[in-house]
Amino acid sequence: MTEAIVYERIGDIAVLSAQNPPVNALSIDMRRGLLAGIERAEEEGARAVLIYGEGRTYFAGADIREFGKPMVAPVLPDLCNRIEATKLIVVSALHGTALGGGLEVALSSHYRIAVPGAKMGLPEVHLGVIPGAGGTQRLPRIAGIDAALEMITTGRPISAADALNKGVIDRVAEGSPREIGLAYTRELLEQGAPRRPVCYMPLPDPVDFDDTYEKVLARGRGQLSPAIAVRAVQAAWEAESFLDGVRQERELFMQLMETDQRQGLIHAFFSERAVSKLPELTEVTPRDIASMGVIGGGTMGAGIATTALLSGLSVVLVERDDDASAAARDRIEGNLKGALKRGKVDQAQLESMTVEALTIATDYADLSEVDLVVEAVFEDMAVKREVFAALDAHCRPGAILASNTSYLDINEIAAATSRPQDVIGLHFFSPAHVMKLLEVVVADQTAPEVVASGFALGKRLKKISVRSGVCDGFIGNRIMNSYRRAADYMVLDGASPYQIDKVMTEFGFAMGPFAVADLAGLDIGWAARKRRAPTRNPRERVVQFSDMLCEGGDFGQKTGKGFYAYEAGKRGGSANPQVAEYIKRDQRDQSVTPKSFSNEDILRRYMCAMVNEAAKVVGEGVARRPLDVDMVLLFGYGFPRFWGGPLKWADLQGPAAILDDIRRYAKEDAFFWRPAPLLEQLVNEGRIFDDLNREVT
Ligand code: 3HC
Ligand code: NAI
């Protein structure tokens, strides 16, 4: 017996309790313990086995840390088959999250009971694999083909009530898993209930698997695992026997284990959890934040106020005048009504948020009691400095003063106050009540407890918070500017914006860069280009076609036209014919002879620009670790999760190959394609970006 599984005899019942905090992952010790427990129960002549988890959950799945390493016996599918085959009655009592291999152990048991709050699911596709211990073979037999395909291909967990409905579990009962499990097992023994292996249950009628496969593949936007999962389910019908089906499922599981997508998704899983763990903050206590001020109720201010209200904070929003205040209230109420529609809040909560928790004012004096203020006024340094001077005058000592600026220097903003230690950047993404990313921008004098408070606030708002240093655009917008420029240069040199958008959506982005620019508003980039023009290096290539669009009043979706032309009520747009004319004019003005680009070349240049700037951002210390950059791009810019992030992608391609390409592009434009010193260093040392993630803990 191992310590991870504790064996106990209570009368006729052998009780196997999992003790592997925090989530009872099915590590090798757990698997050995379960196998030994079944064998000992058989040897000792027990009549039944009860399996449950101590702590917060039943098994939450295979131990993901073992992925990519050699498998050690007993492997999970064999263990599940062994559990199912025992002559004793096996009962699993579920609480917490019975996920992946955890649910597969439960499905190998003969009976299942759960507490009302338990959740269960097969989320393997989110890790780039499929259920690999019989899940695709047993679930259709027990829950039917539609429910099984839904659970397996989406990875979404279901509630205990839903599971009962679908036949995944036999009973729901209040109590601890140990209590309800023992009571149920005793009852089954008293009734003389038979063993009930799922493998003997008949299969339901099959579906058209080829059709399902195609649909799931299309939905995955390049992600393979959900579609492969369909093939694994299909094997249940085509296999020679149940065990042959399990074997075929395992083969597909092992093939996916070898893929880049599996590596990317596992990287995303662990990085998402590592990103807000900063060693320097472990001993720092954040300040209490119960109320929040917001300055400006435009797109961002209203979104920030909404996310704060939804997380239970009270909000005082300050606008310029009554009209702007009324518009801000409308925006917030509109956002909250959206949340009501999606079932995130009920009518009573909505009313309490808009009536009791929200104050809209035009006087800074109303901010005298708040714990933290986020400024979201126009992107103009003079306006921001004025606002911060006013905040300095009106906010109580110890209040945190934050700016949501996209690009501006937080140090300069902090200098407008007498308390730069309390000033920080909190860069939300639009729409702020939907987007998960929060960049916590640390200025030169920001106090550690103010940084800790930024992270604590992010956690409360359910954001993924990433630390950034100060620079033009911080981590995300700075990198975006670089790959956007690469895209613009390709257009000037002959690629079409629509070809680029198509290549990038095929890579896995939800939208291409030109469609994104239309959505965000072309005027934002236009203003930034004008702001930078006086200090621009004369060696920098400058494209004009975007400015031509803006000069004509076409700012993208909000004006009905940009790179695409939009029709009211229709999703997406069609190519705006004026764009081709502007591009031609730009090429003529700059004496550029257009050439054609292959899809592969477009992808490579776009990604090399992203990786190169990301490496500069890490090398300069703006981002602490490569994984910080990866999470910014994943949660703020729609980077395909199955690639793990741009620097994980770079590791998978090999940093040396990327540096070679950058040096080749530099022959055309040596100014833009200056290799990042960190990239050169890694290549010289034969290392990859992920090595740096492991160095900083
Ligand atoms: N293996 C190893 N470690 C795991 C793990 C797993 N399956 N699941 C969670 N952990 C770790 C996390 O990395 C974290 O570690 P840290 O404290 O060092 O950062 C710790 O456990 C706590 O996890 P969370 O912070 O995520 O805790 P939450 O309470 O927010 O969430 C959870 C708990 C819902 C279980 C969530 O962790 C989760 O979704 N885990 C993954 C579940 C999963 O995907 N299971 C399937 C695995 S694949 C499989 O089973 C293959 C099989 O078919 C053969
Ligand atoms: P916006 O133009 O929609 O809203 C600005 C609001 O600030 C207006 O309602 C205006 O009335 C108000 N305002 C201006 N001066 C004020 C003052 N002195 N006191 C009180 N209110 C004042 O702008 P948006 O898009 O919301 O941007 C705000 C800030 O957020 C900018 O710094 C921007 O760079 C940043 N940001 C914008 C994002 C976006 O996608 N729109 C994303 C992330 C950050």
Side-chain angles (χ1 to χ4, degrees):
M1 200 67 41
T2 62
E3 278 175 17
I5 297 286
V6 172
Y7 182 98
E8 212 184 328
R9 266 300 285 279
I10 302 182
D12 284 335
I13 306 171
V15 179
L16 308 186
S17 57
Q19 324 229 345
N20 186 20
V23 297
N24 284 322
L26 285 155
S27 60
I28 177 61
D29 278 355
M30 297 279 272
R31 300 196 301 272
R32 282 186 183 135
L34 282 170
L35 180 60
I38 296 283
E39 284 170 351
R40 180 164 162 193
E42 287 169 345
E43 279 160 21
E44 284 185 358
R47 290 173 60 210
V49 177
L50 168 66
I51 303 175
Y52 77 95
E54 283 292 343
R56 66 198 226 205
T57 185
Y58 187 78
F59 315 105
D63 189 334
I64 305 169
R65 286 163 308 187
E66 291 179 0
F67 280 20
K69 297 179 186 158
M71 302 268 175
V72 182
V75 293
L76 207 49
D78 294 347
L79 176 65
C80 286
N81 293 341
R82 177 71 177 82
I83 291 172
E84 189 173 55
T86 180
K87 296 287 168 257
L88 315 180
I89 287 181
V90 185
V91 177
S92 270
L94 280 46
H95 78 300
T97 44
L99 298 175
L103 183 56
E104 290 176 303
V105 170
L107 290 173
S108 318
S109 308
H110 304 142
Y111 295 89
R112 287 156 292 280
I113 184 168
V115 302
K119 288 212 164 90
M120 47 220 83
L122 293 172
E124 285 89 342
V125 292
H126 297 308
L127 301 173
V129 292
I130 58 171
T136 63
Q137 307 301 297
R138 290 189 178 93
L139 194 60
R141 288 178 155 87
I142 202 165
I145 183 70
D146 292 339
L149 279 171
E150 164 77 14
M151 283 177 73
I152 293 167
T153 62
T154 66
R156 265 196 298 273
I158 58 173
S159 66
D162 200 5
L164 185 64
N165 212 9
K166 291 184 160 72
V168 177
I169 54 175
D170 303 293
R171 188 178 286 187
V172 176
E174 299 270 3
S176 72
R178 181 182 172 90
E179 284 162 8
I180 62 169
L182 276 170
Y184 188 39
T185 314
R186 282 192 190 111
E187 191 184 313
L188 288 166
L189 286 177
E190 275 161 25
Q191 286 170 353
R195 288 169 65 250
R196 204 188 44 172
V198 175
C199 67
Y200 295 142
M201 293 181 185
L203 281 164
D205 287 341
V207 291
D208 180 341
F209 285 110
D210 288 345
D211 182 56
T212 310
Y213 173 87
E214 292 301 335
K215 284 190 182 131
V216 172
L217 188 65
R219 209 172 57 201
R221 264 203 225 115
Q223 190 181 331
L224 295 173
S225 48
I228 301 294
V230 175
R231 295 299 187 211
V233 173
Q234 183 177 357
W237 278 262
E238 293 176 358
E240 284 166 13
S241 63
F242 177 82
L243 288 182
D244 183 42
V246 173
R247 187 192 54 72
Q248 288 189 37
E249 172 202 73
R250 188 70 178 174
E251 226 169 79
L252 292 170
F253 173 86
M254 293 307 288
Q255 280 169 17
L256 285 169
M257 194 61 100
E258 298 304 314
T259 59
D260 288 350
Q261 293 200 356
R262 192 275 298 166
Q263 285 200 50
L265 286 163
I266 296 288
H267 174 75
F269 179 87
F270 285 116
S271 300
E272 193 176 335
R273 286 159 177 78
V275 76
S276 52
K277 286 183 188 148
L278 299 185
E280 75 272 25
L281 295 183
T282 44
E283 305 287 306
V284 181
T285 311
R287 294 181 191 166
D288 287 335
I289 298 169
S291 59
M292 184 157 151
V294 178
I295 316 295
T299 312
M300 290 310 291
I304 294 166
T306 307
T307 183
L309 290 166
L310 285 170
S311 72
L313 292 168
S314 69
V315 173
V316 180
L317 187 142
V318 173
E319 254 295 351
R320 290 185 294 176
D321 50 39
D322 291 343
D323 284 350
S325 299
R329 182 171 281 282
D330 280 352
R331 282 188 200 104
I332 296 170
E333 288 182 356
N335 291 343
L336 289 173
K337 279 182 192 146
L340 177 73
K341 239 190 198 163
R342 290 192 301 275
K344 302 235 172 211
V345 287
D346 60 29
Q347 187 64 33
Q349 286 169 316
L350 183 143
E351 270 159 32
S352 127
M353 282 175 198
T354 50
V355 177
E356 286 153 39
L358 175 66
T359 308
I360 301 203
T362 51
D363 190 344
Y364 280 66
D366 286 305
L367 295 168
S368 60
E369 298 297 316
V370 298
D371 302 315
L372 172 142
V373 185
V374 183
E375 163 280 310
V377 303
F378 304 131
E379 184 79 341
D380 178 311
M381 183 54 91
V383 181
K384 304 249 186 222
R385 284 180 60 95
E386 234 172 71
V387 168
F388 272 77
L391 293 176
D392 195 22
H394 288 95
C395 292
R396 63 169 181 75
I400 295 168
L401 311 182
S403 174
N404 182 51
T405 177
S406 306
Y407 291 95
L408 302 176
D409 184 346
I410 307 285
N411 287 313
E412 204 178 325
I413 293 173
T417 72
S418 63
R419 36 173 138 169
Q421 73 281 1
D422 293 334
V423 177
I424 191 165
L426 290 179
H427 185 212
F428 291 84
F429 286 70
S430 180
H433 56 296
V434 176
M435 293 293 284
K436 295 277 277 178
L437 180 63
L438 176 68
E439 282 181 328
V440 178
V441 187
V442 181
D444 292 351
Q445 296 189 50
T446 311
E449 61 187 273
V450 172
V451 182
S453 308
F455 278 92
L457 177 72
K459 191 166 180 194
R460 172 148 190 192
L461 303 181
K462 300 199 176 72
K463 303 287 180 202
I464 302 287
S465 307
V466 183
R467 183 194 193 282
S468 172
V470 174
C471 69
D472 193 8
F474 316 121
I475 297 176
N477 281 345
R478 174 170 159 184
I479 295 171
M480 181 191 68
N481 276 338
S482 186
Y483 62 77
R484 267 311 314 260
R485 267 166 64 198
D488 284 349
Y489 293 156
M490 284 191 273
V491 170
L492 182 64
D493 290 334
S496 106
Y498 316 107
Q499 185 192 2
I500 296 177
D501 275 1
K502 189 160 176 288
V503 170
M504 295 325 297
T505 48
E506 279 170 8
F507 178 72
F509 278 93
M511 292 167 94
F514 295 97
V516 169
D518 271 2
L519 180 67
L522 300 177
D523 47 327
I524 296 182
W526 192 30
R529 287 192 294 278
K530 283 194 272 194
R531 180 167 55 81
R532 290 194 196 102
T535 53
R536 190 182 286 141
N537 190 307
R539 291 173 64 206
E540 183 180 326
R541 292 181 85 197
V542 182
V543 302
Q544 303 290 349
F545 56 82
S546 299
D547 292 359
M548 293 178 200
L549 263 171
C550 294
E551 282 153 14
D554 295 332
F555 293 160
Q557 284 200 17
K558 61 185 164 192
T559 58
K561 238 197 268 173
F563 286 97
Y564 295 83
Y566 301 89
E567 266 178 66
K570 262 198 179 170
R571 262 191 94 157
S574 51
N576 172 4
Q578 276 169 313
V579 171
E581 287 170 35
Y582 293 144
I583 295 169
K584 262 194 207 131
R585 199 197 307 165
D586 201 358
Q587 288 165 340
R588 225 176 21 240
D589 293 350
Q590 304 204 41
S591 309
V592 173
T593 311
K595 58 178 182 179
S596 66
F597 286 81
S598 69
N599 291 349
E600 172 57 27
D601 196 16
I602 287 176
L603 175 67
R604 201 69 190 176
R605 283 172 189 256
Y606 193 84
M607 289 304 299
C608 282
M610 195 184 299
V611 170
N612 200 36
E613 195 65 29
K616 288 179 187 171
V617 161
V618 177
E620 290 167 22
V622 171
R624 280 281 176 76
R625 301 155 293 187
L627 70 84
D628 293 308
V629 169
D630 285 342
M631 294 306 100
V632 165
L633 268 291
L634 237 58
F635 288 101
Y637 297 82
F639 192 93
R641 188 178 170 96
F642 58 80
W643 281 114
L647 293 178
K648 181 66 190 176
W649 180 86
D651 280 350
L652 290 166
Q653 310 308 306
I658 289 176
L659 182 59
D660 281 349
D661 282 350
I662 291 172
R663 287 184 174 144
R664 197 157 43 81
Y665 304 144
K667 292 190 182 125
E668 297 163 17
D669 179 354
F671 181 74
F672 179 69
W673 290 106
R674 279 164 297 169
L678 179 65
L679 179 61
E680 293 181 312
Q681 186 192 331
L682 286 177
V683 171
N684 284 340
E685 293 169 357
R687 298 199 303 159
I688 58 172
F689 287 103
D690 205 28
D691 293 330
L692 304 178
N693 288 327
R694 283 189 279 270
E695 274 170 20
V696 189
T697 50

